[in-house]
């Protein structure tokens, strides 16, 4: 059998890459990352292509595609280090809301690009002593940090029991403060709750688990795209940079560095495809595969980002080249939604290797 992208999926990939190449240049990314402009224009352009509703059923105004199509989009966005809330609004929110049911109007608004939903899952993934939430009687108190999307219209908040709640961004008692992280292409914030109204979305832990598995696989696809771009930039630079009257790509040491990056990265693509397939067709494998996929992609992505920067030499650290945007995106992805160490421990528990 042939395992690869279909003609429709390849066309989707080509159309997204073409749009991002034309509309989201590195200068545009710099402006968003620097706070000179917002990401609203880029997000609306993607909404017109149907990306905001890629995981939303057609009956709710979305495209109704599968998780493999979403992974293809995530890889493209990572390749162009696109500064948009795809992970939170187009992946996590639709997955949770669709499974929970009775949120057709909100899903329709997300699909049209009119509504953005942020995500505060930190308490449910790995609680911190200085950030926790408590919910009682429909009211939420506490604090969430590293919440995805500072400009969201509302937020999905998960507690330690893996119950998911919806909190309006303009709710009384909610304080929202922007946070600075190494990755300026993805906005994050802190939410402080003081008796804030919280609408229960789902009290089924399985909804949270499936949503988190989906998010981790899409984030791994984002890392794959970012790492692939760094590899491509390293090869292109090596082919034109000269030392001792020779392009540095002719030096054996540089050849080995580029070959090692390519050899390590290429198998990751089929890893992503299979992981996306488990989301739709192999639920019994989904959780374990999601843990291994994100853990492996983050380790490989870190190796590629480090080596690609070394190939560029001193130029790799300059803002002119801009390699640091991809480097930091990969670094932030490594920790967000679970580090490789945490995910491997989780995988060991699933397989009965750890208590």
């Amino acid at each position: 059998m042939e395992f690869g992208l279909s003609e429709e999926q390849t066309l989707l990939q080509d159309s997204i890459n073409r749009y991002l190449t034309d509309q989201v240049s590195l200068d545009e990314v710099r402006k968003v990352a620097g706070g000179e402009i917002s990401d609203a224009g880029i997000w609306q352009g993607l909404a017109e292509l149907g990306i905001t509703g890629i995981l939303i059923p057609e009956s709710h105004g979305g495209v109704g595609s599968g998780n493999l199509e979403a992974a293809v989009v995530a890889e493209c966005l990572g390749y162009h280090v696109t500064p948009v809330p795809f992970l939170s609004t187009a992946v996590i929110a639709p997955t949770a809301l669709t499974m929970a049911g009775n949120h057709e109007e909100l899903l329709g608004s997300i699909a049209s690009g009119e509504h953005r939903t942020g995500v505060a899952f930190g308490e449910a993934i790995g609680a911190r002593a200085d950030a926790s939430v408590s919910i009682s009687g429909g009211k939420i108190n506490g604090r969430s940090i590293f919440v995805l999307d500072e400009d969201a219209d509302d937020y999905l908040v998960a507690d330690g029991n893996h119950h998911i709640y919806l909190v309006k961004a303009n709710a009384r008692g909610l304080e929202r403060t922007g946070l600075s992280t190494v990755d300026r292409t993805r906005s994050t914030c802190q939410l402080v709750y003081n008796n804030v109204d919280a609408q229960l979305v789902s009290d089924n832990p399985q909804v949270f688990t499936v949503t988190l598995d989906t998010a981790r696989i899409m984030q791994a696809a984002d890392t794959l795209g970012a790492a692939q771009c760094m590899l491509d930039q390293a090869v292109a630079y090596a082919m034109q940079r000269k030392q001792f009257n020779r392009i540095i790509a002719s030096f054996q040491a540089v050849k080995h560095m580029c070959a090692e990056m390519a050899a390590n990265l290429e198998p990751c693509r089929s890893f992503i495809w299979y992981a996306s397939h488990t989301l739709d067709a192999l639920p019994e494998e989904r959780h374990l595969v999601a843990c291994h996929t994100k853990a492996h992609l983050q380790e490989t992505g870190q190796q590629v980002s480090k080596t690609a920067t070394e190939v560029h030499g001193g130029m790799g650290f300059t803002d002119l080249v801009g390699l640091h945007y991809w480097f930091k995106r990969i670094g932030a992805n490594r920790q967000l939604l679970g580090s490789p160490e945490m995910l491997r421990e989780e995988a060991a528990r699933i397989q009965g290797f750890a208590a």
Side-chain angles (χ1 to χ4, degrees):
M1 66 179 289
E2 180 180 349
F3 188 68
L5 298 181
S6 66
E7 183 178 353
E8 291 79 8
Q9 290 161 346
T10 302
L11 287 173
L12 172 66
Q13 186 179 54
D14 291 342
S15 64
I16 298 300
N17 277 324
R18 187 161 50 248
Y19 170 79
L20 294 175
T21 299
D22 293 341
Q23 304 296 325
V24 190
S25 65
L26 181 57
D27 284 339
E28 194 80 359
V29 173
R30 280 196 184 96
K31 291 178 181 178
V32 175
E36 298 177 40
I37 61 173
S38 74
D39 59 7
I42 301 172
W43 189 236
Q44 191 55 46
L46 290 172
E48 293 171 3
L49 293 175
I51 300 310
T52 52
I54 194 163
L55 288 179
I56 297 175
E58 292 183 58
S59 59
H60 301 338
V63 177
S65 295
N67 285 290
L68 181 52
E69 287 79 9
V72 168
V73 173
E75 182 182 346
C76 295
L77 295 175
Y79 190 94
H80 296 271
V81 73
T82 314
V84 291
F86 177 76
L87 183 63
S88 55
T89 298
V91 174
I92 296 177
T95 302
L97 295 172
T98 301
M99 290 188 68
N102 300 320
H103 294 280
E104 292 79 6
E105 184 178 350
L106 179 54
L107 287 168
S109 298
I110 291 173
S112 66
E114 301 171 4
H115 195 92
R116 292 165 61 149
T117 298
V119 175
F121 277 8
E123 171 75 2
I125 296 172
R128 295 170 56 120
D130 60 343
S132 62
V133 297
S134 61
I135 300 170
S136 178
K139 300 289 185 179
I140 182 171
N141 287 279
R143 184 166 73 108
S144 298
I145 59 175
F146 300 114
V147 178
L148 292 177
D149 197 4
E150 182 184 355
D151 299 316
D153 300 294
D154 53 30
Y155 293 91
L156 291 179
V157 182
D159 64 10
N161 296 317
H162 293 177
H163 298 170
I164 302 175
Y165 297 84
L166 185 69
V167 175
K168 298 292 185 182
N170 60 357
R172 179 177 297 179
L174 180 66
E175 298 178 16
R176 177 169 56 176
T177 308
L179 294 179
S180 295
T181 67
V182 293
D183 180 18
R184 296 296 182 89
T185 67
R186 184 185 287 124
S187 72
T188 57
C189 64
Q190 170 185 270
L191 298 179
V192 178
Y193 318 96
N194 183 17
N195 285 328
V196 176
D197 289 334
Q199 175 190 350
L200 179 65
V201 172
S202 171
D203 58 2
N204 182 357
Q206 185 68 8
V207 172
F208 172 81
T209 301
V210 174
T211 300
L212 185 59
D213 289 341
T214 304
R216 284 170 170 171
I217 291 171
M218 298 308 156
Q219 193 176 39
D222 184 273
T223 293
L224 172 63
Q228 183 65 58
C229 186
M230 292 193 76
L231 168 59
D232 292 346
Q233 290 186 70
V235 172
Y237 181 80
M239 291 295 292
Q240 57 89 23
R241 176 74 167 92
K242 288 186 176 181
Q243 284 186 343
F244 309 112
N245 295 320
R246 291 173 55 187
I247 58 171
I248 63 173
S250 65
F251 298 146
Q252 189 176 50
V254 176
K255 289 180 182 179
H256 285 178
M257 293 169 76
C258 294
E260 183 181 21
M261 285 190 287
N264 290 340
L265 195 60
E266 186 56 34
C268 293
R269 187 160 285 105
S270 57
F271 206 164
I272 293 291
W273 291 350
Y274 181 76
S276 302
H277 175 66
T278 65
L279 290 172
D280 294 323
L282 299 170
E284 68 279 3
E285 296 185 26
R286 181 199 63 242
H287 189 38
L288 178 62
V289 171
C291 290
H292 282 308
T293 300
K294 185 177 186 296
H296 182 73
L297 260 294
Q298 296 311 151
E299 297 287 13
T300 303
Q302 186 180 53
Q303 180 267 328
V304 171
S305 65
K306 176 176 177 290
T307 306
T309 304
E310 290 172 351
V311 170
H312 280 78
M315 289 296 292
F317 295 91
T318 65
D319 188 59
L320 178 65
V321 174
L323 209 63
H324 63 91
Y325 289 106
W326 287 267
F327 188 100
K328 292 173 182 176
R329 178 84 158 236
I330 292 171
N333 281 351
R334 178 185 173 91
Q335 297 303 119
L336 189 63
L337 303 182
S339 66
E341 296 80 9
M342 176 188 291
L343 292 170
R344 291 196 177 101
E345 183 178 349
E346 193 171 330
R349 288 197 299 269
I350 295 169
Q351 299 172 93
F353 298 143

